Amino acid sequence: MIVADKKPIEEIIEAVRPYGRLLILGCNECVTVCEAGGKKEVGVLASALRMYFLNQGQEKRIDEVTLERQCDHEYLEEIRDRIDNYDAVLSLACGVGVQFTAEKYLSKPVLPGVNTCFLGVTEKRGLWTERCQACGQCILAYTAGICPVSRCAKRLLNGPCGGSTKGKCEISKDVDCAWQLIVDRLKALGRLEDYEKLFSIKDWSTDRAGGPRKVVREDVQI
Amino acid sequence: MTTKTPSKLEKILASGQLAVTSEVGPPRGSNPKHLEEKANIIRNHVDAVNITDNQTSVTRLCSLAACIRLKLMGLEPVLQMVTRDRNRIALQSDILGAASFDIHNILCLSGDHQSFGDCATGQNVHDLDSMQLIQTVRRMRDEGKFLGGADIDRPPRMFVGAAANPFADPFEIRVMRLAKKVAAGVEFIQTQCIYNLDKFELWVKMARDRGLTEQVHIMAGVTPLKSAGMARYMKNRVPGMDVPDEVVKRIAGVPKEKQPEEGIAICVETIERLKTVPGVHGFHIMAIEWEEKVPEIVERAGLYPRPQV
């Protein structure tokens, strides 16, 4: 899933200050799972903002809506008949949702309420970690299911570098060396000799280096 | 003896003689005076001089410009090149720039992570890794081709090196990793500083058993310790460094003013011992900001005068 983190309240306050009528728009998908932008967070943020502006003596209307998703036309259409009641939308979806809402309602300022971080997993409640950089050319079959592009600080395809110490990355003792994980897993699978396969120079054109990407599936288009 | 480049370092290694290199870190400014002074101190005692490439991710005068300065002084430079800061266009471009000044040695590295340096919040590149940079230089040199496939007018003639750290983890793949670099086309290796001689000798033996020392020249890396404090710092703070307790104890066991001398003695003894290890073809002396001691180390280790080739 896409993992996001809450923006500091001070930053949100400054962003929404100019607008008298505000819609806080949550998303029921990834940001709900990572507890950054679902219905619960919309409610908590709305209350906090109401209290703040009340204390400041500022009159503000703050409404709450949480859509199933903000990355699909059909769900975004659900607010079409009420969007004109607001001066701005504060979207708690990931950057995708923020942008798609803005594209849909071109005349409305759409502000981000979270920082979108990475594609990751819930290791445990309150701990989400990165697993994928969506490079568009998956090599997990050759790296024992552990991605060096997203998990090595240097994205080395032929690691580990000389900084790997006791299984940890040179940047921090709290970060696993991705190549140590790969080697350990290869060993467990009885395939350590695969480590000697040289990864040739990567085609990054399927990564963001190729510009904005698209997936076209004519077979499912209607 | 066959050589593929005009590199003096390659000639010495190919002749079977122990080669000696050292390194100079470029200044954090544009004044070349200090760089030239450091190079002049060691010029008669080493075969080639590495110029580090923004080492520890701290911004410095560029390695290429510093190599050109050495070349103009009549020294043989080893251009260190990290893949951290440049994409494949910039890397190939800098290789051509170096080749245009007849710089004949390159050391291909991934580089320290930028979080250690003065631009910790910067973006790293790592379009290629060190093994892919080795392949790139070999392709440019041997096939006369850019990565994109076009021909190079006057291809670079560079002796291709890389680093190896026998002490990084996991140990079991350190020799496999060397084998990968050999497969990528590396011709000489300069190792991480060696303080744990037993572990290093085990690594060389394993490399030897696989026939790798016949395919690549291994230059053992040494760094004289200046003090017990430096020994402890390297042991505890420098990633991938292995400084055994007995080394720390030995240097800490002499009075502070005698510690630099003890550090030099340890360094000389290390070279003496490793000189006899089959597969060790030379020494890379990294005397970090202590270049004035390099001539003494080289002489005391019986590596002076340097051969003329």
Side-chain angles (χ1 to χ4, degrees), chain B residues 15-16 58 60 81 91 102 112 141 180 184 186 218 230 234 236 239 249 287 303:
Chain B
S15 73
V58 172
R60 294 171 176 275
M81 187 174 273
L91 292 167
D102 290 326
D112 294 316
R141 184 189 81 187
K180 275 177 91 160
V186 79
I218 293 173
M230 178 180 172
M234 289 180 107
N236 300 321
K249 259 187 224 155
L303 295 167

Side-chain angles (χ1 to χ4, degrees), chain A residues 150-168:
Chain A
S150 58
R151 301 183 68 182
C152 165
K154 301 177 186 173
R155 306 199 297 194
L156 300 184
L157 295 185
N158 293 286
C161 73
S164 173
T165 305
K166 297 189 174 77
K168 299 297 176 186

Side-chain angles (χ1 to χ4, degrees), chain A residues 85-131:
Chain A
N85 299 335
Y86 303 102
D87 301 319
V89 176
L90 178 68
S91 166
L92 297 198
C94 68
V96 177
V98 175
Q99 291 185 61
F100 212 38
T101 306
E103 280 173 56
K104 198 89 180 162
Y105 302 109
L106 281 173
S107 62
K108 289 293 159 210
V110 182
L111 312 165
V114 302
N115 291 318
T116 306
C117 302
F118 49 77
L119 307 185
V121 297
T122 310
E123 283 202 32
K124 60 181 186 185
R125 186 151 184 217
L127 176 63
W128 294 274
T129 56
E130 185 164 19
R131 289 293 184 276

Side-chain angles (χ1 to χ4, degrees), chain B residues 154-204:
Chain B
R154 192 175 182 269
R157 292 189 296 167
M158 289 180 171
F159 187 40
V160 182
N165 184 357
F167 311 106
D169 292 324
F171 182 69
E172 62 197 314
I173 56 107
R174 299 327 303 184
V175 171
M176 294 173 88
R177 185 161 169 75
L178 177 66
K180 275 177 91 160
K181 288 194 176 179
V182 170
V186 79
E187 296 166 313
F188 73 97
I189 288 286
Q190 290 169 327
T191 77
Q192 174 65 286
C193 321
I194 302 159
Y195 298 104
N196 186 338
L197 276 73
D198 293 341
K199 195 164 186 181
F200 176 78
E201 285 176 357
L202 173 62
W203 177 77
V204 176

Side-chain angles (χ1 to χ4, degrees), chain B residues 222-240:
Chain B
V222 291
T223 291
L225 293 166
K226 270 183 184 168
S227 63
M230 178 180 172
R232 285 191 202 101
Y233 178 82
M234 289 180 107
K235 179 185 175 67
N236 300 321
R237 294 294 184 86
V238 182

Side-chain angles (χ1 to χ4, degrees), chain B:
Chain B
M1 125 182 164
T2 54
T3 54
K4 293 178 180 164
T5 74
S7 159
K8 181 171 81 175
L9 179 60
E10 183 183 12
K11 285 193 184 85
I12 290 173
L13 287 167
S15 73
Q17 299 173 87
L18 288 169
V20 179
T21 52
S22 188
E23 71 175 28
V24 169
R28 296 210 70 203
S30 64
N31 187 346
K33 191 168 155 272
H34 195 45
L35 174 86
E36 289 170 349
E37 282 170 4
K38 290 196 279 191
N40 274 326
I41 291 169
I42 58 177
R43 67 183 301 153
N44 296 321
H45 287 78
V46 300
D47 307 317
V49 178
N50 284 41
I51 299 287
T52 50
D53 183 6
N54 297 306
Q55 78 262 30
T56 59
S57 310
V58 172
T59 313
R60 294 171 176 275
L61 188 144
C62 77
S63 177
L64 174 54
C67 281
I68 293 167
R69 289 212 164 261
L70 289 200
K71 187 84 190 179
L72 296 175
M73 291 167 68
L75 276 80
E76 175 153 309
V78 179
L79 175 71
Q80 292 199 184
M81 187 174 273
V82 302
T83 63
R84 176 191 60 225
D85 309 323
R86 307 171 189 84
N87 73 355
R88 64 191 74 180
I89 300 172
L91 292 167
Q92 292 178 97
S93 168
D94 282 358
I95 289 165
L96 289 186
S100 79
F101 281 93
D102 290 326
I103 289 166
H104 296 307
N105 306 292
I106 186 168
L107 194 79
C108 303
L109 308 163
S110 58
D112 294 316
H113 194 267
Q114 74 278 5
S115 55
F116 294 105
D118 63 345
C119 294
T121 56
Q123 178 73 274
N124 63 21
V125 182
H126 295 300
D127 179 10
L128 308 182
D129 62 22
S130 59
M131 298 213 192
Q132 294 165 345
L133 180 58
I134 293 166
Q135 292 172 295
T136 301
V137 188
R138 287 296 301 263
R139 179 171 162 87
M140 292 175 78
R141 184 189 81 187
D142 298 344
E143 298 170 36
K145 299 273 192 199
F146 289 107
L147 288 177
D151 291 334
I152 298 172
D153 177 19
R154 192 175 182 269
R157 292 189 296 167
M158 289 180 171
F159 187 40
V160 182
N165 184 357
F167 311 106
D169 292 324
F171 182 69
E172 62 197 314
I173 56 107
R174 299 327 303 184
V175 171
M176 294 173 88
R177 185 161 169 75
L178 177 66
K180 275 177 91 160
K181 288 194 176 179
V182 170
V186 79
E187 296 166 313
F188 73 97
I189 288 286
Q190 290 169 327
T191 77
Q192 174 65 286
C193 321
I194 302 159
Y195 298 104
N196 186 338
L197 276 73
D198 293 341
K199 195 164 186 181
F200 176 78
E201 285 176 357
L202 173 62
W203 177 77
V204 176
K205 182 186 178 303
M206 289 161 69
R208 212 164 52 226
D209 291 345
R210 278 196 60 162
L212 296 173
T213 52
E214 302 294 311
Q215 299 170 65
V216 65
H217 297 289
I218 293 173
M219 302 183 70
V222 291
T223 291
L225 293 166
K226 270 183 184 168
S227 63
M230 178 180 172
R232 285 191 202 101
Y233 178 82
M234 289 180 107
K235 179 185 175 67
N236 300 321
R237 294 294 184 86
V238 182
M241 190 74 79
D242 182 346
V243 186
D245 288 335
E246 54 267 30
V247 173
V248 179
K249 259 187 224 155
R250 175 170 165 187
I251 194 156
V254 299
K256 209 166 176 63
E257 65 280 6
K258 297 261 187 196
Q259 286 178 359
E261 199 181 309
E262 192 69 11
I264 299 288
I266 294 170
C267 186
V268 170
E269 288 167 32
T270 300
I271 296 175
E272 287 287 2
R273 175 166 154 185
L274 297 182
K275 271 163 85 175
T276 61
V277 173
V280 173
H281 297 168
F283 294 92
H284 180 50
I285 306 169
M286 296 166 274
I288 306 155
E289 294 303 320
W290 212 16
E291 286 79 8
E292 66 270 24
K293 290 293 174 187
V294 172
E296 181 187 337
I297 293 167
V298 173
E299 289 179 20
R300 281 174 56 186
L303 295 167
Y304 188 80
R306 301 305 311 144
Q308 299 299 311
V309 288

